[in-house]
Amino acid sequence: MRMLPGARPGPRARPPLSLPTLTVALALLAAEALAAPPAAGPAPSTPEAPATSGASSEPPAGTRGPAASSSLSANGLATLTPCRVDGVPTEVQCGSLRRPLDPAHPEGKQIDLRFVVVRALARNKLPDPVLLLAGGPGQSAVSLTGSVLPRLSRLNYRRDLVFVDQRGTGRSAPLQCADTSGRDLEELTQPGAKLRLLDACRVALEKLPYGDLRMFTTPIAMQDMDAVRAALGVERWNLIGASYGTRAALEYQRQFPQRVRRAVIDGVAPPDMVLPASFSRDGQAALDQVFDGCAADAACRGRYPELRAEWQGLLKSLPRKVGVTHPVTGKAEQFTLTREALLGMIRPPLYVPAAASALPAALHEAAQGRFEAVAGLAGQLGGGSRAMRLAEGMHFSVICAEDAPRLAQSTDAPSSDFGTLDRDLYANVCRAWPRGEVPPAFYTMPTAKTPVLVLSGGADPATPPRHGARVAQTLGPRAVHVVVPQAGHGVAMTLGCMRDVVYRFIDAAQDDDALRVDASCAQRIPRPTPYLPPTAATVAAAASAAAARETDR
């Protein structure tokens, strides 16, 4: 579940709010290699070593200028220093806060949390800032500043915006695996390659000064967030979380309900979701919508009358040798395409309906043995700069502690196409991954004491409305659930009408007015029609129509 485009976009643009997955970002390393664009710098051979337990003078990733000292000022508040963030034309403020790696041993090993504050523009600003909780798990919130800021400009007029790199991400004791995106595709698709790479990553991460991977759970991270709040001198703030950030928001609200004024959770991944098990059912539903949409569209149905059958035939033909252009190196490569790799390639476009509209044509091409279209589509959506990569170690530390222990209890049956691929991968990785302890209360969602806006996209392949509906019902009368029927993964930042809804929800002076926010515009957003590549006949028809218009003049 990733979030938004990053502050330093790569040569290929990321889709809003979560590309190759809620989640899947790491689940399919071979697919990730097919989907990732060139990194912003040389690929490291070992995990990137961020700040150690000692004080650091380096600014947060994506920033330029001095970082604040990790000590607090005389009045107990965080020290902030002017700095620059990629993608933001004006100066912002950077800071850091020293936190114990293990909260049970406050005098033990320490880590530095890095954060950015974008001050409100108005002099008469309001006292309740907006905290952005990033997705993934594993996304850096600071790296989102440049792309999120324009979308929250109305809120930023009278409210500060706060971006905190959650522990394990960005420059807050990051748990980043080596970048494998430039390796040969044949190497990455060998049986067991993903597990071997992740095991090597785990071993390397455990050697870091802060390498106790049990200490990177959501409950501990939300204690960090509240420490930042206190250090900033904030009484209450508003939360905006997307994808995994919704789980973080729900956990923060559970632990610190008195510190939340309003919460927006967009593309809900609740704590009881069991992520690896839900991928299969939810991904299948989104893929079926693509097939149904083509069948319902006369032009698409006429062009691809046997699309479902072609897809099933393609799956049955795997594994097979195919040739594509490597999306990172640009070299033509032959590799063995497996079912797992193909599903990893078609999953990213499902997150964005505009991209999913091109899947019928791409799948038809693949069924004819031409894979450039489907690989290129995955590559366009799976890209981004090195700064935008998920911290894979944090990702698995969260999932292995919070989801993997409950896999056997999941009631989500595997789907016909995606099967148990995700479940099996996570189960195998988590057998060796150090597992943090999560309190039983983590899986509960107490009745909300303040308004919560729950947002869902009807075509979301990772966090569809069924999860948001359950959460809204559990939170009670202070929660309102808005479904955008034709939207994908994430709607608050990607759709103009919904950005306005979020603004009015948070800006409303009274709670009752916030809960009555008008979100009827969500129902009027259309789903893109299937993309049909031009043919000789359609080109000739277009030329004839253009000539006719010219004659009429």
Side-chain angles (χ1 to χ4, degrees):
M1 352 175 200
R2 289 197 201 178
M3 293 258 323
L4 287 154
R8 187 185 298 169
R12 296 184 180 96
R14 283 181 176 272
L17 285 179
S18 270
L19 352 153
T21 102
L22 153 76
T23 76
V24 204
L26 276 175
L28 302 165
L29 291 183
E32 182 184 63
L34 287 169
S45 57
T46 58
E48 299 167 43
T52 66
S53 59
S56 170
S57 62
E58 296 181 17
T63 65
R64 299 182 297 281
S69 164
S70 58
S71 61
L72 300 181
S73 60
N75 60 5
L77 299 182
T79 303
L80 298 173
T81 305
C83 63
R84 293 280 184 174
V85 174
D86 289 351
V88 180
T90 57
E91 222 171 42
V92 297
Q93 294 184 307
C94 293
S96 67
L97 182 67
R98 180 74 42 98
R99 290 287 294 164
L101 177 64
D102 182 353
H105 298 91
E107 303 305 320
K109 189 172 293 294
Q110 306 289 302
I111 60 174
D112 289 330
L113 293 181
R114 307 308 180 108
F115 57 90
V116 164
V117 178
V118 183
R119 293 301 188 189
L121 298 175
R123 292 183 178 179
N124 59 333
K125 73 174 186 179
L126 296 170
D128 48 294
V130 175
L131 171 69
L132 183 80
L133 294 164
Q139 177 65 65
S140 160
V142 170
S143 70
L144 302 174
T145 307
S147 53
V148 168
L149 188 55
R151 306 172 189 219
L152 296 180
S153 58
R154 292 180 69 188
L155 284 171
N156 191 216
Y157 182 70
R158 296 192 65 193
R159 286 181 169 86
D160 292 346
L161 303 182
V162 183
F163 302 81
V164 183
D165 274 344
Q166 184 171 325
R167 60 166 59 200
T169 73
R171 292 296 303 279
S172 296
L175 300 176
Q176 186 73 268
C177 293
D179 183 5
T180 62
S181 60
R183 296 192 183 184
D184 291 345
L185 300 179
E186 184 65 29
E187 175 189 358
L188 292 172
T189 54
Q190 289 295 314
K194 293 182 292 296
L195 290 177
R196 289 192 294 273
L197 289 168
L198 287 168
D199 190 61
C201 174
R202 174 187 58 79
V203 171
L205 292 175
E206 289 184 297
K207 296 177 181 178
L208 293 172
Y210 48 82
D212 187 346
L213 303 181
R214 301 171 301 165
M215 297 295 117
F216 292 83
T217 63
T218 306
I220 293 176
M222 292 307 103
Q223 294 170 27
D224 291 340
M225 293 292 174
D226 196 61
V228 172
R229 176 203 59 76
L232 291 173
V234 171
E235 182 66 24
R236 295 195 306 169
W237 51 9
N238 306 280
L239 310 179
I240 296 181
S243 203
Y244 164 74
T246 65
R247 175 179 291 192
L250 289 167
E251 174 59 10
Y252 183 89
Q253 185 168 275
R254 182 188 72 81
Q255 291 193 54
F256 308 102
Q258 73 279 13
R259 302 304 183 188
V260 181
R261 176 180 174 270
R262 305 270 165 81
V264 178
I265 51 177
D266 182 13
V268 187
D272 63 350
M273 184 178 177
V274 192
L275 295 177
S278 67
F279 290 162
S280 183
R281 172 182 171 183
D282 295 335
Q284 185 73 52
L287 180 59
D288 287 341
Q289 285 192 42
V290 171
F291 290 127
D292 292 342
C294 182
D297 181 87
C300 187
R301 184 176 64 250
R303 183 81 69 89
Y304 312 119
E306 304 296 330
L307 187 61
R308 284 182 186 270
E310 289 180 340
W311 166 247
Q312 292 303 318
L314 176 58
L315 289 177
K316 291 177 182 178
S317 73
L318 303 177
R320 61 191 279 192
K321 279 281 188 181
V322 302
V324 297
T325 300
H326 195 298
V328 174
T329 66
K331 297 179 180 178
E333 289 194 19
Q334 293 279 328
F335 75 103
T336 302
L337 180 66
T338 62
R339 183 187 187 100
E340 180 181 16
L342 177 62
L343 289 168
M345 291 164 70
I346 64 108
R347 189 174 246 151
L350 294 175
Y351 281 72
V352 185
S357 68
L359 273 175
L363 294 180
H364 173 75
E365 287 289 302
Q368 309 305 311
R370 299 182 292 273
F371 290 87
E372 291 289 357
V374 69
L377 188 59
Q380 288 293 325
L381 291 171
S385 71
R386 180 178 174 184
M388 288 301 299
R389 289 171 51 214
L390 283 187
E392 301 95 325
M394 182 273 204
H395 179 96
F396 281 100
S397 293
V398 168
I399 302 300
C400 291
E402 300 169 11
D403 297 86
R406 304 176 67 248
L407 275 173
Q409 306 171 31
S410 173
T411 58
D412 281 323
S415 68
S416 58
D417 293 343
F418 290 92
T420 62
L421 290 174
D422 299 305
R423 179 196 294 256
D424 294 345
L425 175 65
Y426 279 91
N428 287 329
V429 172
C430 291
R431 285 192 183 98
W433 206 272
R435 181 173 296 174
E437 294 185 9
V438 179
F442 168 73
Y443 297 103
T444 65
M445 291 175 280
T447 301
K449 300 183 183 300
T450 52
V452 181
L453 178 62
V454 183
L455 303 176
S456 300
D460 188 342
T463 55
R466 69 185 182 103
H467 303 294
R470 183 176 77 257
V471 169
Q473 182 177 19
T474 303
L475 293 178
R478 309 304 281 174
V480 57
H481 187 205
V482 175
V483 177
V484 186
Q486 304 302 333
H489 187 54
V491 302
M493 303 289 183
T494 60
L495 304 173
C497 106
M498 295 308 297
R499 289 199 293 271
D500 183 62
V501 170
V502 169
Y503 167 76
R504 288 185 283 111
F505 173 79
I506 292 178
D507 192 60
Q510 303 299 321
D511 286 354
D512 288 345
D513 292 334
L515 293 170
R516 287 193 293 265
V517 64
D518 181 8
S520 59
C521 65
Q523 305 301 314
R524 299 192 293 271
I525 297 173
R527 185 179 178 94
T529 57
Y531 165 74
L532 301 177
T535 64
T538 59
V539 169
S544 177
R549 288 194 298 270
E550 192 65 27
T551 301
D552 290 341
R553 289 181 184 178

